[in-house]
Amino acid sequence: MEKYIDIIKNSYSGYWNYLKNELLFQNNWDNYFYGLIAISIIVWLLEIAFPWRKNQAVFRKDFWLDTFYMFFNFFLLNLIVLIALSNSAAEFFNDILGVLGLSISNFQLFDVDNLPKWLGLFIFFLVSDFVQWNTHRLLHRFPILWNFHKVHHSVKEMGFAAHLRYHWMEPIVYKSLLYIPIAIIGGFDAQDVAIVYFFAIVIGHLNHANLGWDYGKLKYIFNNPKMHIWHHAKELPRHVRFGVNYGLTLSIWDYIFKTNYVPHSGRDIELGFEGDEQFPKDFISQELYPLNKK
């Protein structure tokens, strides 16, 4: 038990020091804090210059709520719980394997250090995106997970910052299901992985932005605003009642597994979910949902 207490303490102090270095610009080019700000400003300027929904305000409904969510979920949530939880869970998993006389290296399919860097990153990107696509499907399929995912679907007007409006339980679900697939590949350098994460942030911001783009033929590979808005549609046909267009960065999984759905321009469709009129509107109440569900 003392070992886990030390892990938790070191996780808090380590992440706090990392966050300070981010804010003071003492890290290298892979600075997530200022990188997120730069990406957000650029996509917001694109929304202003090329708005798809002309009557949507520059400071749309819940703009500031989503901006707070963006920084809270990307940085503060890690400080409060995720880093300590992730490190403790990883150590616990390694201890269980140790009891069985195994280690995570026994499950590694290959070492990316033995591959060209571009190929290793490409494999990492494909595996992580596919696992997250499946996890996203689970969030819609199971009621207990859907209750958490409702926070993200409570968005009523799409904008770049809506990308990171999500319940604190979501990253726990995503990280838990992603841990083993990534661990069995192994050998990734943090700065190399940053390239993949920054790309995912850009695509995610664009997917939620007030932009009418679909990238032409590339829409069958990359998720896009015209496709993703249907994922947020309040009303869907019964045969797709559990949701559509689950892709995060890539849309190709939806086309392969027939969960794609873009019947027509979704520019003016109503967003949300059934019963969202009674869903909490403020940050604290949304984060406590469904514990505070009446």
Side-chain angles (χ1 to χ4, degrees), residues 4 8 22 43 49 64 95 116 135 187 189 226 237 248 263-264 269 283:
Y4 289 99
I8 293 172
E22 289 273 287
V43 177
W64 296 113
D95 286 345
T135 304
D189 181 84
K226 282 190 172 181
L248 278 76
H264 57 79
I269 60 174
F283 172 77

Side-chain angles (χ1 to χ4, degrees), residues 141-284:
R141 178 69 62 167
F142 295 98
I144 188 172
L145 297 180
W146 170 240
N147 272 328
F148 300 134
H149 196 47
K150 282 180 179 178
V151 170
H152 184 66
H153 281 267
S154 64
V155 173
K156 300 302 290 183
E157 289 185 347
M158 295 284 268
F160 71 92
H163 173 208
L164 297 176
R165 182 201 290 200
Y166 53 77
H167 194 279
W168 61 271
M169 270 297 297
E170 279 204 29
I172 293 177
V173 177
Y174 274 105
K175 288 177 183 292
S176 298
L177 295 180
L178 191 59
Y179 175 75
I180 294 178
I182 296 303
I184 64 177
I185 298 175
F188 294 104
D189 181 84
Q191 287 189 333
D192 294 334
V193 170
I195 298 172
V196 175
Y197 282 141
F198 278 130
F199 181 67
I201 294 168
V202 170
I203 297 296
H205 269 37
L206 290 171
N207 290 342
H208 293 83
N210 182 17
L211 295 169
W213 300 351
D214 63 10
Y215 314 132
K217 295 296 183 182
L218 290 178
K219 67 183 179 183
Y220 299 110
I221 299 176
F222 296 108
N223 200 359
N224 54 83
K226 282 190 172 181
M227 182 176 191
H228 193 68
I229 198 168
W230 282 100
H231 179 73
H232 285 261
K234 185 169 184 175
E235 295 185 6
L236 289 169
R238 182 166 178 77
H239 73 283
V240 291
R241 65 186 183 280
F242 291 113
V244 295
N245 305 346
Y246 300 107
L248 278 76
T249 302
L250 298 178
S251 61
I252 192 170
W253 313 122
D254 288 303
Y255 286 103
I256 291 175
F257 296 100
K258 309 301 182 184
T259 53
N260 60 296
Y261 183 77
V262 187
H264 57 79
S265 172
R267 186 189 65 181
D268 300 315
I269 60 174
E270 184 180 3
L271 309 181
F273 55 88
E274 185 179 353
D276 61 3
E277 299 83 2
Q278 285 76 47
F279 194 76
K281 302 297 189 290
D282 63 281
F283 172 77
I284 297 297

Side-chain angles (χ1 to χ4, degrees), residues 55-72:
N55 60 342
Q56 183 169 305
V58 172
F59 294 96
R60 59 171 177 81
K61 179 179 175 61
D62 290 339
F63 177 91
W64 296 113
L65 173 64
D66 289 340
T67 300
F68 178 77
Y69 260 114
M70 190 166 65
F71 288 98
F72 177 83

Side-chain angles (χ1 to χ4, degrees), residues 23-78:
L23 295 172
L24 297 175
F25 228 133
Q26 294 178 346
N27 289 336
N28 296 316
W29 64 268
D30 55 331
N31 188 305
Y32 287 100
F33 184 81
Y34 293 105
L36 178 63
I37 292 176
I39 292 169
S40 299
I41 291 175
I42 291 171
V43 177
W44 189 29
L45 291 175
L46 288 174
E47 286 187 354
I48 296 171
F50 309 103
W52 190 23
R53 294 170 294 279
K54 307 293 185 183
N55 60 342
Q56 183 169 305
V58 172
F59 294 96
R60 59 171 177 81
K61 179 179 175 61
D62 290 339
F63 177 91
W64 296 113
L65 173 64
D66 289 340
T67 300
F68 178 77
Y69 260 114
M70 190 166 65
F71 288 98
F72 177 83
N73 281 333
F74 213 78
F75 299 104
L76 295 181
L77 185 58
N78 279 325

